[in-house]
């Protein structure tokens, strides 16, 4: 098995997916996680590339967010669609990154992702509240490369 397949247990993967579902119950925002061994470019360039490859820019309100983790380079990045940047406070990304860094430094990868996703959902709820017209536009599963 690859490092990606060994990175999370089935239970850890389930916890992350449940965090996505919990976060998306209160917001129309769409959250996904992508994990891969490494990339030929830095994490921020790669997450932007994956954002479009995974068609995360196809949401009605331009409110998708992708969490990206590269195992070999021990790097991560978060990228959100233009609708998010237009509405969230200036320190939004830094606050989410700080949550991940805090846990990742202690090798608490699942907890970092879960807490980061929940915090993201809490912020998105203020700017993209869930309504009766909201629907899950993107898969909640963790993509792997």
């Amino acid at each position: 098995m690859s490092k990606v397949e060994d990175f999370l247990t089935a239970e850890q993967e389930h916890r992350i997916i449940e965090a996505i579902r919990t976060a998306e119950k209160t917001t129309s925002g769409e959250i996904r996680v992508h994990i891969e061994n490494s990339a030929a470019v830095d994490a921020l360039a790669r997450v932007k590339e994956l954002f479009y490859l995974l068609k995360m820019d196809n949401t009605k309100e331009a409110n998708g967010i992708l969490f990206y983790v590269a195992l070999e380079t021990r790097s991560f990045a978060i990228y959100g669609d233009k609708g998010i940047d237009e509405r969230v406070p200036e320190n939004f990304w830094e606050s989410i990154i700080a949550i991940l860094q805090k846990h990742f430094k202690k090798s608490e990868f699942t907890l970092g992702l879960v807490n980061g996703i929940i915090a993201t959902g809490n912020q998105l709820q203020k700017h993209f509240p869930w309504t009766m017209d909201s629907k899950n536009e993107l898969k909640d599963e963790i993509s792997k490369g």
Side-chain angles (χ1 to χ4, degrees), residues 3-36:
K3 288 182 182 181
V4 172
E5 294 301 321
D6 292 337
F7 182 62
L8 299 171
T9 65
E11 190 261 325
Q12 290 170 323
E13 204 167 312
H14 177 73
R15 285 179 53 206
I16 293 167
I17 292 168
E18 282 304 308
I20 293 169
R21 290 178 178 153
T22 298
E24 289 182 357
K25 283 181 184 176
T26 61
T27 178
S28 63
E30 294 289 334
I31 302 168
R32 290 196 68 190
V33 174
H34 183 86
I35 300 169
E36 62 185 13

Side-chain angles (χ1 to χ4, degrees), residues 115-129:
N115 288 347
I117 290 164
I118 296 298
T120 298
N122 289 339
Q123 286 294 319
L124 290 180
Q125 176 184 5
K126 298 172 189 174
H127 307 284
F128 298 94

Side-chain angles (χ1 to χ4, degrees), residues 25 27-28 60 129-136:
K25 283 181 184 176
T27 178
S28 63
K60 181 179 174 183
W130 187 89
T131 66
M132 293 302 286
D133 294 331
S134 297
K135 64 179 182 176
N136 193 10

Side-chain angles (χ1 to χ4, degrees), residues 3 22 39 46 72 79 101 106-107 119 121 135:
K3 288 182 182 181
T22 298
R46 181 64 176 150
E72 287 180 6
Y79 185 74
Q101 283 176 329
K106 297 186 276 185
S107 296
K135 64 179 182 176

Side-chain angles (χ1 to χ4, degrees), residues 4-5 7-8 13 16-17 20 31-39 43 46-54 56 65-71 75-79 100 104 113 117 139-145:
V4 172
E5 294 301 321
F7 182 62
L8 299 171
E13 204 167 312
I16 293 167
I17 292 168
I20 293 169
I31 302 168
R32 290 196 68 190
V33 174
H34 183 86
I35 300 169
E36 62 185 13
N37 282 329
S38 65
R46 181 64 176 150
V47 73
K48 288 178 183 178
E49 181 179 275
L50 285 165
F51 188 86
Y52 296 101
L53 286 173
L54 295 171
M56 294 199 58
I65 291 183
L66 180 60
F67 285 74
Y68 170 76
V69 179
L71 302 178
S75 59
F76 73 91
I78 308 167
Y79 185 74
L100 271 66
F104 284 14
L113 286 167
I117 290 164
K139 295 178 184 178
D140 296 334
E141 68 191 26
I142 297 170
S143 59
K144 300 172 184 172

